[in-house]
Amino acid sequence: MPYKTSLINKELQKLIFRSVGWISILQFAGLFFALPLQLMAFTEEERQYLFIDNLFSFQQGVQIVFTMGIPVLMAIFLFRFLQVRQYSDYVHGLPITRKALFHQYTITGILYLILPLVFITLILLAMYEPFQLEELFSLNDVGSWILIMLLFHILFFLMGVFIGTISGISAVQGALTYIGLLLPLGMLMLITTNLSYFLTGFSADYILDTKLERFSPLVLFAQISYIEVDSLELILYSSTAVCLYILALFSYVKRPIEAVSHALVYPFLKPVFKYGVTFCMMLLGGLYCGEIQQMTSWIVAGYVIGAIIGYVIAEMVLQKSWRITFQVKGFLIFAIVMVGAAVLFKLDLTQFEKRIPAYDDIQGVHLSESYYYYQDSLENEMPVFLKEADNIEAVRELHENIIKNRDYTGVGHEPTVYMTYLLKNGEKVVRSYQVDLNQYETYIKKIEESQEYKTNTNSIFQADPENVSELIIDANGTLPKRTSITDNNEIQEAMRALKEDIQSASYENMTSSKEPIAFIELRIKDSDNSIYMEWKTYDQHFKNWIQDHDLLEQSRITAEDIQYAYILKKEMIPEELWLGYTYSDIFKEMAKHENALKLTDKQDIDFLLNNASYSPQNEYVICYVYAEGKYDVKELAGKDAPASIVRHFEHN
Amino acid sequence: MIKISNVRKEFQEIEAIENVSIHVNKGSIYGLLGSNGAGKTTLLKMIAGIYEQSEGSILIDGRVVYENPSLKQEIIIIQDTPFFIPQYTLKQMGKVYRSFYPNWSEERFKQLAADFNLDVTKKIHKFSKGIQRQAAFILALSAQPSVLILDEPMDGLDPVMRKKVKSLIFEDVADREMSVLISSHNLKEVEDICDHVGILHKGKMILERDLDDLKSDTHKIQLAFKGEIPQQLISSLDIVHQEKRGSIFICIVKGLEEELLTKIQAYHPVILDILPLTLEEIFLYEMEDAGYAVQNILD
């Protein structure tokens, strides 16, 4: 009998259309609503206020939900025949090889996903001129839209197909598809965050960099309207799609047909799944408890509870019933292996916790409160590393002392010490510790008072004065006082004064929480960039320069601006006043308070202006009255309060 | 024609098969017997090329079935619950079969549909179970396969339909030398059409017989003598089973009828009758002989 070797079986094509054609139609309808219809509906006026990055900005919710949902739905319904015993037996009894079946189904599925996208693109192109869409986006935008949509549709679809070949239940296929798309990112986050509990000094933030979402196409696509997909990601995802196609084909050819209705058709995947889920849930439990309360007992409890929940869930899925018996033996083996691994980590065989690079190996050091400062400096093209010998030594000494003291505060969001060593061989050693900074003040003071540190961390040192077009001084207060300097010579003088002030500032001054006198903005020529800084109370050089140019009056709030001020202890004011009330509410409250101290003497007010600060520990509230109905509220620390004020409140 | 040698299959909860060998000649009908869970369905699905055996070989006309489309074009299996693509009519199913099976005869399809009085434009899943089974037969026979595999085919058919279906199968076997494999848990259902029978129990083939040989070879004989039964006679006969009811001695004996009669008559029995023997009785006694309680094997 001759075997008809036509690649495409017409009846099979009809069958596929009958079972999944509706998904294509649904997808077309959804996208038609999100794009062409939406574009037609915009009025002239609405168009004026549209802010469009790309085509994903239109109805992005609909676009995201459809792109994440439709391809997986397609994979599930297309390969429904794999997950129903009789259907599966029937199809595999037909005279056609599995390879031929797979190619025909998968390629047709891709075609049904592509067609609606192509139609929508054609409609957009047809609309482009009649609807003047060039005002909204370019043809390039349409091109990148179709390219990204095609890629992600095919990628999500092939993931669904691959999972379909290893799973025997449609619901499990759907769930595992999404888990598979999230897994690389999820695992990375779980493992790094948990490692930071185990390895003192391990910086999870450093690993969990901002470009993290590329590890999960699903997460990346959720942010598609404001994240640029770069060519590396395009290549990465395209090759992943190709790999998935090949893997799915291979897995389908080997699939034991008789395993239909098992959660996983390959027996060897069952333990992988079971212990994989247990492991992930264990880490998740640890992470959850660790974020609530960073105590070893909580974290361990999180691990145990997480592991048990994961183990039970995995068993339930595999046994397809929630009424399962807990298999103690398997869990015990898992627990023993995990405890063993934990002990190995704690033994710190790689000397991770003790390692401090040798002085001779170090090119430069970075020290800040968190990874985000490091990242910020990199992004703003500021120098990141300190290279002077004194600073390198100081950071090493600080590091040594932290390790020696082993006194970690470990409480959630307290400031941390973040350090990066740049080694001469190009490698980086990154550590972060949660410690009480006051203990290490000597080292930090030494570093932060160094000229190198100051030049590195203050943007003004990186700016070319010739390039500054305007210097703006905004008084710190609710009076609209503003000085603008545009003369370049004056700008240069002012900048010199500001730099001198920074260079002579002490650590105590730099870290004080005193209210600045004014805010300074240096506008950079021919760009939208500015450098922002503060005029601090101790900035003598700048103050002198301002005075010399007779700009003081218009640049800051002075005692002359203020009629009188009220002072009251913070605790005497109802707490809710701080939340969302206006200054005039606070004024009224203070005005009627019997203990409020009213100051009218200009000298007293001048003192307040130079000593107000911001800190949750402050004791006093100040309310300045500029004029009827014009108020400003500041605070004063107890240690800065003059004797007269302290005395007043002692008596009341 | 169909040659199954030392086939083994094991997979989690499906019925396992252990070291089974079967030979089915071209144009013959083979009955595969066994209780539920004996492994019949698994074995049939392997022969149809749906499952792959773990060990051993399954050859049809010397060719491997699994993943061999040109061979599978000649094989049709009707599952224990016939399957049809959801929402399809008989006509649409016919088109699917026509596209896959080159021997498909449209003429036969129309003829059979008319014979069974089936509406080809009605969705099959709306038919009753019995009608669905008829539809499956119509499709299978229209495809004119050279191997037809039937898993519990008579379930849900009324006696008239059974007869009709059986005669159709006979017709194809006679006209086109089609080979048929039929599984059943009920011997009576298939004894009138099979020429070979195999009994599968817990995945093992415990008995395989040619029915024509079996019937001409085994006899139930009723004897009585004046006085005692001559021991000499008894020891000279190949007795499968014996019992005494008063002075009457009943035994099941193997051998050719002529020879047996001559042998016995030499001892001048008072009574000598050859009684009718059903196939079920033969198996009952044979398996008892092999150490199986038949109630556990066939129901």
Side-chain angles (χ1 to χ4, degrees):
Chain A
M1 204 69 52
Y3 172 51
K4 278 196 284 181
T5 48
S6 64
L7 264 174
I8 295 163
N9 179 307
K10 229 175 85 190
E11 289 303 319
L12 220 47
Q13 288 298 321
K14 280 190 206 165
L15 169 59
I16 294 171
F17 176 72
R18 283 175 184 139
S19 55
V20 299
W22 63 275
I23 298 177
S24 269
I25 294 166
L26 181 71
Q27 185 199 20
F28 179 78
L31 290 178
F32 187 77
F33 165 75
L35 280 165
L37 205 61
Q38 178 74 68
L39 290 170
M40 283 182 225
F42 282 132
T43 60
E44 251 338 288
E45 205 190 340
E46 280 173 312
R47 278 185 176 215
Q48 303 292 316
Y49 296 102
L50 277 179
F51 182 74
I52 310 288
D53 279 332
N54 48 44
L55 264 72
F56 294 103
S57 309
F58 301 103
Q59 293 287 341
Q60 58 159 303
V62 178
Q63 291 199 50
I64 289 171
V65 168
F66 270 73
T67 307
M68 289 183 181
I70 292 285
V72 179
L73 211 61
M74 178 69 84
I76 290 174
F77 277 90
L78 193 63
F79 284 91
R80 180 75 187 134
F81 75 87
L82 272 183
Q83 324 296 22
V84 179
R85 180 174 297 279
Q86 285 182 326
Y87 204 162
S88 166
D89 286 347
Y90 174 76
V91 169
H92 296 104
L94 291 174
I96 180 167
T97 60
R98 293 202 196 179
K99 261 188 197 164
L101 263 177
F102 180 83
H103 290 313
Q104 201 165 146
Y105 267 83
T106 311
I107 291 170
T108 311
I110 290 175
L111 203 70
Y112 283 152
L113 285 175
I114 288 178
L115 277 179
L117 295 174
V118 170
F119 282 138
I120 294 287
T121 309
L122 291 178
I123 292 172
L124 286 178
L125 292 180
M127 285 171 66
Y128 199 70
E129 273 186 33
F131 285 84
Q132 280 120 38
L133 296 182
E134 70 274 4
E135 293 170 9
L136 299 176
F137 49 80
S138 68
L139 286 176
N140 264 344
D141 287 332
V142 181
S144 56
W145 179 82
I146 177 85
L147 189 70
I148 288 173
M149 285 296 257
L150 284 177
L151 176 62
F152 279 87
H153 272 79
I154 292 172
L155 183 67
F156 293 158
F157 170 71
L158 288 176
M159 189 68 183
V161 171
F162 169 64
I163 299 291
T165 64
I166 62 168
S167 156
I169 302 173
S170 292
V172 173
Q173 180 187 353
L176 283 185
T177 301
Y178 287 111
I179 290 175
L181 289 169
L182 281 173
L183 198 63
L185 170 64
M187 281 298 267
L188 193 68
M189 288 181 74
L190 283 177
I191 289 177
T192 46
T193 321
N194 277 281
L195 266 183
S196 67
Y197 300 151
F198 265 95
L199 291 176
T200 312
F202 182 83
S203 169
D205 291 331
Y206 180 71
I207 309 278
L208 301 178
D209 201 348
T210 43
K211 267 263 173 187
L212 201 63
E213 59 277 345
R214 71 157 52 135
F215 284 96
S216 164
L218 207 59
V219 175
L220 181 74
F221 195 80
Q223 308 169 11
I224 195 74
S225 65
Y226 49 90
I227 279 186
E228 196 95 3
V229 182
D230 60 33
S231 50
L232 176 72
E233 282 153 347
L234 286 181
I235 294 167
L236 186 80
Y237 290 148
S238 309
S239 35
T240 309
V242 174
C243 289
L244 281 173
Y245 190 95
I246 295 166
L247 266 176
L249 172 64
F250 183 75
S251 159
Y252 178 54
V253 168
K254 295 274 166 213
R255 179 184 172 96
I257 296 301
E258 55 274 27
V260 171
S261 85
H262 284 230
L264 293 163
V265 296
Y266 291 102
F268 77 90
L269 283 179
K270 290 184 182 179
V272 172
F273 173 76
K274 185 158 108 179
Y275 293 110
V277 171
T278 312
F279 183 68
C280 286
M281 285 300 287
M282 178 185 79
L283 294 185
L284 191 63
L287 176 70
Y288 180 78
C289 290
E291 292 302 304
I292 292 177
Q293 190 91 44
Q294 221 170 40
M295 273 160 46
T296 315
S297 55
W298 273 69
I299 295 172
V300 169
Y303 285 145
V304 173
I305 294 167
I308 291 174
I309 292 173
Y311 191 76
V312 168
I313 289 176
E315 278 286 323
M316 283 177 182
V317 172
L318 289 177
Q319 293 182 28
K320 291 182 290 175
S321 162
W322 61 275
R323 290 150 58 220
I324 52 153
T325 47
F326 190 82
Q327 285 169 330
V328 182
K329 197 179 145 198
F331 188 75
L332 269 184
I333 294 172
F334 176 81
I336 290 166
V337 171
M338 284 302 122
V339 170
V343 169
L344 275 184
F345 262 111
K346 272 286 147 200
L347 287 178
D348 192 18
L349 296 178
T350 56
Q351 295 288 300
F352 181 92
E353 292 184 356
K354 292 197 189 99
R355 182 173 176 206
I356 298 175
Y359 176 82
D360 289 338
D361 294 341
I362 299 172
Q363 232 188 92
V365 288
H366 169 89
L367 180 77
S368 61
E369 280 188 14
S370 90
Y371 167 73
Y372 298 101
Y373 287 98
Y374 174 79
Q375 180 62 21
D376 256 13
S377 305
L378 279 182
E379 269 171 18
N380 297 328
E381 291 173 3
M382 300 267 291
V384 177
F385 294 103
L386 305 173
K387 308 210 161 166
E388 275 171 15
D390 286 349
N391 281 330
I392 294 178
E393 266 310 332
V395 170
R396 285 191 76 249
E397 273 172 42
L398 170 67
H399 195 176
E400 256 168 39
N401 274 289
I402 290 176
I403 294 174
K404 200 172 73 196
N405 293 348
R406 301 193 70 86
D407 184 18
Y408 308 111
T409 54
V411 180
H413 304 289
E414 284 290 293
T416 56
V417 171
Y418 172 84
M419 46 182 76
T420 303
Y421 296 94
L422 176 67
L423 303 187
K424 285 187 177 145
N425 61 14
E427 269 179 41
K428 282 179 193 143
V429 175
V430 179
R431 294 292 183 271
S432 100
Y433 299 94
Q434 294 195 315
V435 289
D436 179 8
L437 288 182
N438 295 329
Q439 267 190 43
Y440 302 98
E441 212 169 34
T442 33
Y443 304 102
I444 296 170
K445 180 180 158 81
K446 195 167 159 193
I447 295 160
E448 295 198 357
E449 280 185 349
S450 75
Q451 293 309 316
E452 189 190 20
Y453 181 88
K454 286 175 176 174
T455 340
N456 272 12
T457 51
N458 287 291
S459 318
I460 190 170
F461 289 98
Q462 319 305 325
D464 178 2
E466 298 282 340
N467 266 337
V468 178
S469 57
E470 190 181 5
L471 188 150
I472 299 162
I473 307 164
D474 271 308
N476 179 9
T478 48
L479 283 187
K481 283 192 162 191
R482 163 177 273 216
T483 305
S484 163
I485 299 164
T486 47
D487 177 76
N488 194 263
N489 281 331
E490 287 185 6
I491 290 174
Q492 296 207 22
E493 281 171 29
M495 281 177 71
R496 208 174 300 129
L498 283 168
K499 284 181 192 172
E500 279 171 34
D501 283 329
I502 292 172
Q503 280 162 342
S504 59
S506 67
Y507 176 72
E508 290 72 21
N509 272 338
M510 286 190 286
T511 52
S512 84
S513 51
K514 287 263 170 74
E515 288 277 352
I517 291 173
F519 302 101
I520 297 169
E521 181 185 353
L522 300 169
R523 291 229 168 118
I524 307 295
K525 229 177 253 172
D526 303 326
S527 81
D528 296 334
N529 296 339
S530 286
I531 293 170
Y532 297 94
M533 52 194 296
E534 290 171 352
W535 169 12
K536 306 262 179 55
T537 48
Y538 58 83
D539 287 343
Q540 207 50 50
H541 294 89
F542 187 66
K543 192 183 170 190
N544 292 342
W545 185 85
I546 290 277
Q547 270 171 338
D548 291 349
H549 288 75
D550 213 12
L551 295 168
L552 194 69
E553 261 314 299
Q554 63 180 85
S555 304
R556 63 166 296 179
I557 308 288
T558 63
E560 299 308 315
D561 297 324
I562 294 166
Q563 288 184 9
Y564 59 92
Y566 277 125
I567 294 191
L568 197 57
K569 278 214 160 179
K570 232 175 167 180
E571 66 212 30
M572 293 173 172
I573 289 182
E575 222 171 295
E576 61 266 25
L577 262 187
W578 294 116
L579 311 162
Y581 281 77
T582 61
Y583 287 167
S584 69
D585 289 330
I586 295 174
F587 166 75
K588 277 176 206 155
E589 183 73 22
M590 288 174 77
K592 70 180 184 203
H593 201 286
E594 52 181 15
N595 290 337
L597 174 65
K598 188 174 178 180
L599 294 177
T600 47
D601 183 65
K602 298 294 173 197
Q603 254 182 340
D604 288 347
I605 291 173
D606 199 48
F607 178 85
L608 290 180
L609 283 173
N610 285 320
N611 284 286
S613 60
Y614 48 90
S615 160
Q617 280 88 39
N618 281 349
E619 256 177 85
Y620 302 98
V621 187
I622 309 166
C623 182
Y624 299 121
V625 180
Y626 298 126
E628 190 59 39
K630 285 198 150 190
Y631 314 103
D632 197 359
V633 175
K634 299 277 189 232
E635 293 178 11
L636 184 67
K639 63 175 166 54
D640 296 331
S644 59
I645 292 179
V646 177
R647 224 176 303 123
H648 171 82
F649 286 101
E650 263 171 13
H651 292 303
N652 294 289
Chain B
M1 172 76 195
I2 304 176
K3 195 162 185 280
I4 298 167
S5 331
N6 306 316
V7 164
R8 204 178 63 77
K9 175 79 189 172
E10 218 177 333
F11 191 84
Q12 292 169 4
E13 72 246 23
I14 70 160
E15 310 152 356
I17 295 290
E18 268 175 59
N19 207 25
V20 166
S21 301
I22 297 178
H23 192 90
V24 182
N25 291 323
K26 199 173 173 72
S28 74
I29 303 176
Y30 189 100
L32 188 63
L33 295 169
S35 60
N36 294 328
K40 303 179 302 257
T41 302
T42 307
L43 185 58
L44 292 184
K45 282 181 181 168
M46 284 192 286
I47 298 170
I50 298 172
Y51 296 169
E52 191 179 19
Q53 67 273 21
S54 316
E55 271 172 43
S57 70
I58 298 173
L59 300 175
I60 295 181
D61 284 341
R63 291 180 291 167
V64 173
V65 189
Y66 187 73
E67 285 285 87
N68 185 349
S70 66
L71 183 53
K72 278 164 100 176
Q73 284 179 340
E74 298 170 40
I75 305 170
I76 295 241
I77 180 168
I78 298 181
Q79 298 184 40
D80 46 2
T81 321
F83 176 82
F84 306 96
I85 296 163
Q87 305 292 332
Y88 266 45
T89 65
L90 187 55
K91 197 175 172 185
Q92 287 170 330
M93 281 304 293
K95 281 186 181 167
V96 173
Y97 274 71
R98 190 172 59 188
S99 77
F100 278 109
Y101 299 97
N103 284 341
W104 175 266
S105 158
E106 197 65 27
E107 205 179 312
R108 183 121 202 258
F109 177 64
K110 282 180 185 149
Q111 180 69 46
L112 285 170
D115 277 0
F116 281 92
N117 202 14
L118 278 186
D119 180 0
V120 293
T121 55
K122 195 175 162 187
K123 287 186 176 171
I124 301 178
H125 73 268
K126 289 185 176 157
F127 288 133
S128 73
K129 250 183 153 183
I131 310 280
Q132 287 191 13
R133 198 168 281 280
Q134 290 169 28
F137 270 110
I138 293 173
L139 290 167
L141 293 173
S142 305
Q144 309 199 83
S146 45
V147 175
L148 181 61
I149 300 169
L150 307 168
D151 194 0
E152 303 277 3
M154 303 305 172
D155 273 11
L157 289 183
D158 59 45
V160 181
M161 279 303 161
R162 282 186 196 194
K163 213 171 158 193
K164 203 166 169 184
V165 164
K166 280 179 185 175
S167 74
L168 281 169
I169 293 171
F170 268 135
E171 221 173 88
D172 271 38
V173 170
D175 292 355
R176 304 189 293 108
E177 284 208 296
M178 179 171 75
S179 310
V180 184
L181 263 155
I182 295 181
S183 82
S184 178
H185 53 86
N186 191 340
L187 179 62
K188 278 182 214 147
E189 229 171 56
V190 294
E191 66 178 328
D192 53 342
I193 54 168
C194 294
D195 36 33
H196 276 79
V197 167
I199 297 181
L200 202 59
H201 181 59
K202 288 188 176 164
K204 284 185 192 145
M205 192 60 90
I206 56 173
L207 194 77
E208 223 185 338
R209 288 288 181 274
D210 180 324
L211 285 195
D212 290 339
D213 286 357
L214 204 62
K215 278 190 170 168
S216 59
D217 210 36
T218 316
H219 308 276
K220 190 175 189 179
I221 300 170
Q222 183 168 270
L223 293 169
F225 290 93
K226 279 180 193 159
E228 285 299 301
I229 303 159
Q231 282 306 312
Q232 237 179 323
L233 172 64
I234 289 176
S235 53
S236 73
L237 293 175
D238 183 2
I239 295 178
V240 177
H241 177 82
Q242 57 181 348
E243 62 185 84
K244 256 188 116 179
R245 291 185 194 154
S247 56
I248 307 240
F249 180 72
I250 301 168
C251 60
I252 290 163
V253 187
K254 283 189 171 174
L256 290 173
E257 193 177 333
E258 296 293 307
E259 284 174 19
L260 285 174
L261 289 178
T262 352
K263 222 182 228 173
I264 296 167
Q265 263 155 358
Y267 293 91
H268 306 292
V270 184
I271 301 171
L272 169 59
D273 288 326
I274 295 211
L275 300 173
L277 186 61
T278 64
L279 205 53
E280 199 168 356
E281 278 176 290
I282 302 177
F283 280 126
L284 200 100
Y285 297 127
E286 282 227 15
M287 286 194 302
E288 225 171 56
D289 228 26
Y292 292 101
V294 83
Q295 286 84 347
N296 300 337
I297 295 167
L298 298 176
D299 33 57

